[in-house]
Amino acid sequence: AKLAGSGHVHALIGDCGLASDMRRIAAELREREASLHCLVCNAGEIMHERTMTSEGHEVTFATQLLNGVYVLSQELLPLLRKSYGARVVCVSSGGMYAVGYDHSLASSASGTYDGQLNYARVKRGQVLLCEHFGRDPAEPVAFVSCHPGWVDTPAVQRAYGSSKWFLEPIRSTWEGAEGICWLCTAPAAELERGAFYLDRSPQPKDLVSWTASTEQDASALVATLAEAAAAQAAIAGVE
């Protein structure tokens, strides 16, 4: 805000891994704003050990798919639908190319925990979620996912340390953010709904056949997320 010289920046603080925080923040936004033009889901972290939230979900899955993406976007759809050309931008990762989506593994319900693989699976889930909502002709809000390239951030340093050399060439923060900013501001007619972007251009979602998913897989994922979100809401007494 200081660099932009703007006094019209407001911070709402919450944990993207907690449904209760995402619903609180969405409620605050609905209370103070008449509409919303863009939602960027950019929370990300690679955990080295399996860690659970206070609501009982694995942190990576909860933060980057269930609550930080699905719950937050669904809670804010009423505001987004009031803006022409509104969009949801999910910041995925090129790491998702290494895996297909397996919900049992992504949610850490089964298997041996591997933080990097779990991150990749959840990032693949973001792409599927955007595919699902992007196919709905009745949905006025555009859903797109993107890969910012490998960016030199504190999270990358924590995750890879001295091994981050294999991600070269590593981008600056601005180089990683530029494509995301374009997705936020591009004319709605220029966006390919449900696409996976890098540097303003849609990219293939699979490099090998065994990572590919079907429309039915994407629909099943969204249905599973909706069920999990409803269960969380019921426990919290949210109607």
Side-chain angles (χ1 to χ4, degrees):
K2 289 180 180 179
L3 289 174
S6 173
H8 301 290
V9 176
H10 304 279
L12 300 177
I13 307 300
D15 185 340
C16 288
L18 299 178
S20 56
D21 275 19
M22 295 301 92
R23 291 193 172 94
R24 172 181 57 78
I25 285 175
E28 290 181 28
L29 277 170
R30 292 195 300 266
E31 179 75 19
R32 64 196 293 177
E33 302 294 342
S35 63
L36 184 63
H37 297 92
C38 182
L39 170 65
V40 179
C41 298
N42 191 39
E45 184 66 271
I46 295 176
M47 306 298 292
H48 292 293
E49 296 181 355
R50 185 175 185 268
T51 306
M52 308 299 286
T53 71
S54 60
E55 294 176 340
H57 294 283
E58 192 275 325
V59 166
T60 305
F61 171 73
T63 301
Q64 299 170 60
L65 189 56
L66 175 58
N67 297 323
V69 176
Y70 178 79
V71 169
L72 184 60
S73 65
Q74 297 306 294
E75 288 286 322
L76 290 175
L77 273 179
L79 278 184
L80 286 160
R81 287 169 177 158
K82 293 179 180 179
S83 297
Y84 174 77
R87 69 284 311 262
V88 174
V89 179
C90 289
V91 182
S92 182
S93 168
M96 69 101 187
Y97 279 124
V99 298
Y101 187 77
D102 182 311
H103 187 74
S104 181
L105 293 175
S107 61
S108 195
S110 67
T112 302
Y113 187 79
D114 183 306
Q116 293 193 25
L117 283 178
N118 207 50
Y119 175 84
R121 294 185 187 106
V122 167
K123 291 301 184 181
R124 171 69 70 174
Q126 292 178 346
V127 174
L128 290 181
L129 181 148
C130 289
E131 269 188 28
H132 173 83
F133 288 114
R135 283 196 302 266
D136 185 355
E139 179 53 68
V141 179
F143 280 74
V144 295
S145 57
C146 66
H147 173 27
W150 301 110
V151 181
D152 192 10
T153 65
V156 166
Q157 180 61 40
R158 286 195 299 271
Y160 296 102
S162 61
S163 298
K164 70 177 183 180
W165 61 266
F166 77 86
L167 300 176
E168 294 286 356
I170 294 182
R171 296 179 167 197
S172 68
T173 303
W174 167 245
E175 289 171 325
E178 195 277 338
I180 302 170
C181 293
W182 181 83
L183 287 170
C184 293
T185 58
E190 294 185 18
L191 293 181
E192 181 181 325
R193 291 169 176 249
F196 178 61
Y197 278 82
L198 172 65
D199 294 337
R200 305 189 180 195
S201 300
Q203 303 295 313
K205 295 172 182 173
D206 299 282
L207 301 180
V208 291
S209 61
W210 54 265
T211 63
S213 300
T214 65
E215 290 185 15
Q216 291 74 22
D217 293 330
S219 297
L221 167 61
V222 172
T224 300
L225 294 175
E227 183 178 347
Q232 290 183 135
I235 293 173
V238 177
E239 296 184 358

